[in-house]
Every structure is written in structure tokens, then in C-alpha cells.
């Protein structure tokens, strides 16, 4: 069993399963401050946290699952959802605000992990839709650059479409987020949807397209692969 020490004596998280330990980020990647609690930026799901973190530690633990897209971080566009005890969040919020563009408190317990999963499911769905309409316009005789310029300047434009347009125009599929990683988030999201009895037909269809890309051998390709002509 590994003990992760806290800034003050008496506050520790206990990880009883070695496989859970391997899923946690290195200790140096956990941002800490002089407050009575811990901020967990790991990638393990809420079920693992509930099973492997002691009740005592959970009372002072904030869930702050990281989004690991270097370009977004470098551009200062990273946003973070945080959950756990409100008083612990209030104590550490000023420090989190130094690291990210925006920090949002989303509720108690481990709901921040669900927020991150929902975000990434939406990422997959929006990317698929953006690829489809770009191909449609291109097949109809409109250049990719002209169509995407129009789109990002319209009411349907967004920070994401602006960020993704250069890759779609130049067919740059250097991996920023692989199909394997996206499939993992779809699996987690659809599992949560089944548990909560939420129908997600669009997400389910997109998950099948991601699986088809993986089945065709595009395991380490970028998730925007479907934009290829």
C-alpha cells in the first residue's frame, strides 16, 4: 500500500490497489499548497477513487481531473472542473486560477470526473460533425479554407472550430488526442449514461465510428482522422 503524504500530518490518501497506483500521475505532477487537503489531478475514474481512497482522505480531497492536450495548455486555454468539499475548494481556488484559464466548482464528491468525460464525449461528437460538413462542402466545390473561414466567423463558430481549422485545412493529423484515448472516454461516458438511464444516440453512433477507425488500424492517429477526403 502506498501512502501519499499531505501538507499537514494526519491527512493522507490510501491507495490499496497497485493497479490504481499505476493509473495515478507521478507525485510531482500533483499541485499542492499549504492547505489541509489534497488536489487529485489523476485520470482514474470515480469508481476507483471511491474504492481506493479512505473516507478520512476523501473528506479533504478535491477531484480535478486533468485535460492533457499540450497545445491547449500552451495557449493558456485550459479549463478545469473541480469537485469535492466546498471549503477545501475555496482554500485552493486562488492557486488553481494561476494554472488555468478558468476553474469551475461543479459539486461534491467525484462529479468533476463525469464533467471531464462528458466534455470529451462532446469533443468527439463535435469533431465528427465538423469533419462531415467540411467534406460535404469540399465535395460540392468549396475549398476547405473558404468554408471554415465562413464557419468560424458565423454564429456557429467557436474557439474549438477556430483551433481545429488549420489541421482540417492542411490535413495535419499529427496526434494530439488518439482514437484509443477517445474511445476510452466514449466507453466511460456511455457506461455512465446506461447507469443513469440517459439516452445518447448521437454519442453512441460517433463511438462506433471511432471504433471503426481503430479496427482499420488507426490506433495512434489523431481523432480528427475522419476529415480526410
Amino acid at each position: 500500500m502506498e501512502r501519499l503524504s499531505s501538507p499537514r500530518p494526519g491527512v493522507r490518501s490510501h491507495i490499496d490497489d497497485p493497479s490504481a497506483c499505476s493509473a495515478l500521475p507521478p507525485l510531482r505532477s500533483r499541485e499542492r499548497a499549504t492547505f489541509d487537503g489534497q488536489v487529485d489531478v489523476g485520470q482514474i475514474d470515480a469508481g476507483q477513487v471511491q474504492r481506493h481512497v479512505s473516507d478520512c482522505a476523501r473528506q479533504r480531497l478535491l477531484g480535478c481531473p486533468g485535460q492533457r492536450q499540450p497545445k491547449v495548455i500552451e495557449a493558456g486555454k485550459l479549463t478545469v472542473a473541480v469537485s469535492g468539499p466546498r471549503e477545501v475548494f475555496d482554500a485552493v481556488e486562488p492557486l488553481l486560477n494561476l494554472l488555468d484559464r478558468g476553474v469551475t466548482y461543479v459539486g461534491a464528491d467525484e462529479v468533476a470526473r463525469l464533467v471531464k468525460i462528458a466534455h470529451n464525449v462532446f469533443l468527439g461528437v463535435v469533431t465528427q460533425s465538423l469533419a462531415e460538413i467540411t467534406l460535404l462542402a469540399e465535395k460540392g466545390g468549396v475549398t476547405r479554407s473558404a468554408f471554415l473561414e465562413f464557419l468560424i466567423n458565423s454564429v456557429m463558430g467557436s474557439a474549438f472550430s477556430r483551433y481545429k481549422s488549420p489541421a482540417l485545412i492542411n490535413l495535419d493529423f499529427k496526434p494530439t488526442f488518439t482514437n484509443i484515448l477517445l474511445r476510452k472516454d466514449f466507453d466511460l461516458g456511455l457506461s455512465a449514461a446506461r447507469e443513469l438511464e440517459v439516452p445518447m444516440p448521437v454519442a453512441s453512433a460517433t463511438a462506433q465510428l471511432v471504433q471503426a477507425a481503430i479496427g482499420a488500424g488507426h490506433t495512434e492517429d489523431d481523432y480528427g482522422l475522419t476529415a480526410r477526403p
Side-chain angles (χ1 to χ4, degrees):
M1 178 176 72
E2 179 185 353
R3 270 177 201 245
L4 304 179
S5 60
S6 66
R8 296 183 183 180
V11 179
R12 293 181 173 86
S13 14
H14 303 296
I15 307 295
D16 299 309
D17 183 354
S19 65
C21 291
S22 65
L24 287 167
L27 195 59
R28 63 180 177 273
S29 73
R30 290 184 165 196
E31 300 297 337
R32 296 191 178 182
T34 55
F35 70 101
D36 189 11
Q38 293 189 13
V39 179
D40 180 9
V41 298
Q43 301 293 307
I44 61 176
D45 63 45
Q48 287 178 296
V49 172
Q50 293 295 329
R51 288 192 298 271
H52 303 301
V53 178
S54 71
D55 289 338
C56 176
R58 193 179 300 121
Q59 291 172 7
R60 308 300 301 170
L61 179 70
L62 290 179
C64 183
Q67 296 178 22
R68 297 177 180 179
Q69 292 199 31
K71 287 185 178 179
V72 176
I73 296 171
E74 289 170 7
K77 302 294 186 181
L78 185 67
T79 58
V80 173
V82 183
S83 63
R86 181 70 202 222
E87 66 277 10
V88 180
F89 171 77
D90 290 340
V92 77
E93 182 183 11
L95 293 176
L96 292 175
N97 280 323
L98 295 175
L99 302 173
D100 308 297
R101 178 187 182 187
V103 177
T104 303
Y105 180 76
V106 295
D109 301 323
E110 294 295 325
V111 296
R113 299 179 191 279
L114 180 59
V115 170
K116 176 180 180 290
I117 290 166
H119 170 279
N120 286 0
V121 168
F122 187 50
L123 169 70
V125 170
V126 169
T127 301
Q128 179 63 32
S129 181
L130 184 60
E132 290 177 5
I133 60 174
T134 301
L135 287 173
L136 174 63
E138 184 180 43
K139 290 289 186 179
V142 183
T143 65
R144 288 180 177 230
S145 58
F147 173 71
L148 289 168
E149 180 182 352
F150 161 76
L151 182 68
I152 63 178
N153 289 320
S154 74
V155 294
M156 294 300 295
S158 66
F160 177 74
S161 60
R162 190 173 295 107
Y163 156 77
K164 201 65 180 174
S165 287
L168 294 175
I169 292 169
N170 299 314
L171 298 178
D172 178 7
F173 297 104
K174 181 173 64 176
T176 59
F177 192 62
T178 66
N179 286 312
I180 290 289
L181 293 175
L182 184 58
R183 180 179 65 179
K184 179 203 71 173
D185 286 331
F186 269 109
D187 288 345
L188 291 170
L190 292 172
S191 175
R194 285 190 294 272
E195 182 179 344
L196 298 171
E197 302 294 348
V198 177
M200 298 182 69
V202 177
S204 297
T206 307
Q208 289 302 309
L209 294 172
V210 173
Q211 180 58 53
I214 293 171
H218 302 293
T219 56
E220 298 303 317
D221 288 319
D222 189 75
Y223 64 101
L225 176 72
T226 51
R228 287 179 176 172

